[in-house]
Amino acid sequence: MKKKRYVLVGVGVRSRFYYHSIARDFPETCELTALCDVNRTRMEYAQKVLKDTYNYPEVSLYGIDEFDKMIEEQKPDTVIICSIDRTHHKYIKRAMELGCDVVTEKPMTMDAEKCQVILDTVKRTGKDLRVAFNYRYSPYNSIVRKLIMEDTIGEIKQVHFEWMLDTMHGAEYFRRWHRDKRNSGGLLVHKATHHFDLVNFWLDTNPKQVFAFGDLMFYGRENAENRGITKFYYRTKGSENAKGDPFALPNELIEDQLHKDMYFNAEQDDGYLRDQSVFSDGISIEDTMNVLVKYENGAQLSYSLNAFSPIEGFKVFFTGTKGRIELVVTQRIPNPDDVESIHDAAIARKSITVFPMFKKPYSVEIPEAEGGHGGADPILLADIFGEPKPDPLKRAAGHIAGAMSCLTGIAANKSIATGMPVDIKSLVDF
């Protein structure tokens, strides 16, 4: 069997998910031949990791101005995109024009204009675009999909979805590049694209109209001043004022070798700071968001996202014509003494309860699964890089699913700005 050739654009922390998997789990079906990034130091780190950990053949390194050259020289089948959100459309478009399929990290893109570019490019080139929605593959999310497909509670009419980002994970988005809405589209695009995609996936429908409220109510300098905070700093490293601040990037991570190699030793290449204060100026994204969505099948969603919760996890309640399903997942209750991984997605507690109308409620067993995001990550990676297998749940997400999820957040951003409901079909031409 001929191996598929891959190149990867954007070698930040998320890229490790892909290049470790290709080298470790799929050497018989996949070959990673090159990396492309604005930051040479970070690329050299990834190159070294591959060689030292897996004795992997040396991958070629290209600057972002050498993308076309990389495609010409490496002749990849597929380009993996893990770059900053505002650049996704650029690399998707050019990769497809040069004859490549694409696997992109979520969100597919961050505004309507860029989404239109992608839709037009797919239509014009006929190339394949895969959006890596790992949450679809979590066992509990797959079980809910199956229960709904089996008509367990009839036709879904109402969904209430609450997502809580805790003071470890939520704060991360306000330390990094995501804090500038021009880069990420805010959390209603960057983060909630996962959640909006899940609703589309569970209900097998698409959003029709969106209305939203959102604001920066906790993070940011002005909010901190209003709460009586008087000591401020721009970044954690080297700051006396950061000492004792529970929202500062923990010193253990500043001294961690991974963070040194990927970020602190790489600052001279592009000026990117990994450890900005969550209470400094320059934050333009919201931390408190509420969204209403009406779907093409008539169902309604009420959704909330909070980025400074004392608990990490989510709750989803489905009400249908034959009953109700409740999915509750607690990922983490933060421990200030545990800083092993801010991105730890281990599941502390999870439950699915079905409440049939006029019948006794019952719990649905959720199998234990190894791997990140409740066992989702290995399944997604096998689906992308392994031998294709039939999937009755249809968890693989293409460009239309990618568009529908991010357009929900894009519409919510527009609604926040205008105070008006937004029709999805008014944003792009499919």
Side-chain angles (χ1 to χ4, degrees):
M1 177 181 175
K2 183 182 177 182
K3 292 184 180 182
K4 268 194 172 184
R5 291 173 64 84
Y6 291 86
V7 297
L8 190 151
V9 181
V11 292
V13 68
R14 188 57 181 166
S15 69
R16 290 167 51 84
F17 177 71
Y18 296 96
Y19 65 70
H20 275 281
S21 181
I22 289 175
R24 179 186 63 233
D25 304 320
F26 302 99
E28 296 180 358
T29 57
C30 303
E31 180 181 11
L32 180 65
T33 67
L35 305 172
C36 179
D37 198 278
V38 67
N39 194 296
R40 182 81 185 186
T41 301
R42 203 169 293 133
M43 285 195 290
E44 291 174 351
Y45 163 78
Q47 185 185 56
K48 184 176 186 300
V49 167
L50 285 166
K51 182 179 179 182
D52 292 352
T53 308
Y54 307 107
N55 195 29
Y56 205 75
E58 187 170 280
V59 296
S60 300
L61 307 181
Y62 296 85
I64 56 171
D65 58 335
E66 299 177 301
F67 182 83
D68 285 19
K69 178 183 177 183
M70 175 179 69
I71 302 299
E72 180 183 352
E73 292 181 351
Q74 300 300 323
K75 296 178 172 53
D77 299 294
T78 302
V79 177
I80 302 170
I81 298 174
C82 299
S83 60
I84 196 168
D85 296 352
R86 64 173 167 78
T87 66
H88 285 186
H89 73 294
K90 177 171 65 175
Y91 295 120
I92 291 170
K93 178 177 183 289
R94 193 62 184 141
M96 289 184 167
E97 290 174 343
L98 295 174
C100 304
D101 292 328
V102 175
V103 173
T104 185
E105 255 302 310
K106 61 81 194 167
M108 187 178 81
T109 189
M110 50 153 298
D111 63 37
E113 292 75 20
K114 294 178 177 64
C115 187
Q116 189 69 66
V117 168
I118 294 170
L119 294 174
D120 291 346
T121 302
V122 172
K123 189 181 298 184
R124 176 164 45 87
T125 64
K127 303 308 293 184
D128 183 67
L129 174 59
R130 180 76 179 269
V131 184
F133 285 124
N134 47 4
Y135 283 164
R136 289 183 174 210
Y137 295 81
S138 296
Y140 38 84
N141 292 330
S142 295
I143 289 170
V144 169
R145 162 79 162 160
K146 187 170 184 291
L147 289 170
I148 292 173
M149 289 175 66
E150 292 172 347
D151 200 40
T152 304
I153 60 168
E155 188 177 348
I156 307 299
K157 296 298 184 180
Q158 185 181 50
V159 182
H160 176 68
F161 195 154
E162 178 186 10
W163 197 283
M164 298 159 285
L165 291 168
D166 66 27
T167 49
M168 290 174 67
H169 189 187
E172 275 287 83
Y173 296 107
F174 297 83
R175 296 185 186 115
R176 301 184 292 164
W177 57 266
H178 314 75
R179 63 194 262 140
D180 187 340
K181 204 165 189 176
R182 296 171 300 178
N183 289 330
S184 65
L187 292 177
L188 283 172
V189 175
H190 178 83
K191 183 63 180 175
T193 189
H194 265 317
H195 316 150
F196 297 139
D197 175 70
L198 278 175
V199 178
N200 298 343
F201 168 67
W202 284 324
L203 272 56
D204 192 24
T205 189
N206 290 318
K208 181 179 180 181
Q209 191 176 55
V210 178
F211 180 76
F213 290 111
D215 208 341
L216 183 66
M217 303 180 76
F218 182 79
Y219 298 110
R221 178 157 182 153
E222 184 178 1
N223 289 321
E225 288 173 344
N226 290 339
R227 292 195 301 275
I229 292 176
T230 57
K231 288 186 177 181
F232 294 95
Y233 56 96
Y234 186 71
R235 66 175 305 181
T236 301
K237 187 178 178 182
S239 170
E240 284 297 318
N241 281 357
K243 293 179 179 179
D245 179 7
F247 287 92
L249 186 71
N251 190 60
E252 291 88 341
L253 293 185
I254 292 176
E255 297 300 325
D256 172 67
Q257 194 59 48
L258 169 64
H259 282 74
K260 285 183 177 179
D261 290 337
M262 290 199 69
Y263 298 109
F264 298 110
N265 295 342
E267 289 176 2
Q268 73 278 359
D269 287 4
D270 58 8
Y272 175 59
L273 302 182
R274 165 71 177 80
D275 60 335
Q276 296 175 82
S277 167
V278 301
F279 301 124
S280 60
D281 289 323
I283 296 174
S284 54
I285 65 173
E286 299 84 8
D287 56 25
T288 309
M289 294 141 279
N290 292 277
V291 183
L292 296 175
V293 184
K294 185 173 183 178
Y295 291 87
E296 291 178 353
N297 68 354
Q300 298 177 16
L301 166 72
S302 56
Y303 169 84
S304 66
L305 175 59
N306 180 281
F308 53 96
S309 170
I311 187 171
E312 175 97 1
F314 67 97
K315 301 175 182 180
V316 195
F317 306 139
F318 305 83
T319 302
T321 55
K322 298 179 182 178
R324 177 180 173 94
I325 295 172
E326 295 188 356
L327 169 62
V328 179
V329 177
T330 302
Q331 291 184 225
R332 179 178 53 229
I333 299 175
N335 176 356
D337 298 322
D338 178 13
V339 292
E340 289 184 3
S341 175
I342 284 176
H343 292 291
D344 179 21
I347 305 303
R349 296 190 297 270
K350 54 188 180 295
S351 66
I352 297 174
T353 308
V354 178
F355 297 84
M357 202 171 285
F358 308 118
K359 294 181 181 178
K360 185 178 180 180
Y362 60 91
S363 297
V364 178
E365 183 179 355
I366 303 172
E368 293 298 325
E370 295 184 358
H373 296 93
D377 290 352
I379 305 172
L380 169 70
L381 290 166
D383 200 17
I384 293 175
F385 297 127
E387 294 284 353
K389 295 180 181 179
D391 182 8
L393 299 181
K394 298 179 180 179
R395 289 173 289 190
H399 68 286
I400 297 298
M404 286 301 180
S405 63
C406 70
L407 284 170
T408 310
I410 291 165
N413 279 336
K414 186 174 181 180
S415 179
I416 291 170
T418 64
M420 299 295 292
V422 177
D423 292 333
I424 294 293
K425 288 184 178 179
S426 71
L427 298 174
V428 297
D429 180 9
F430 286 95

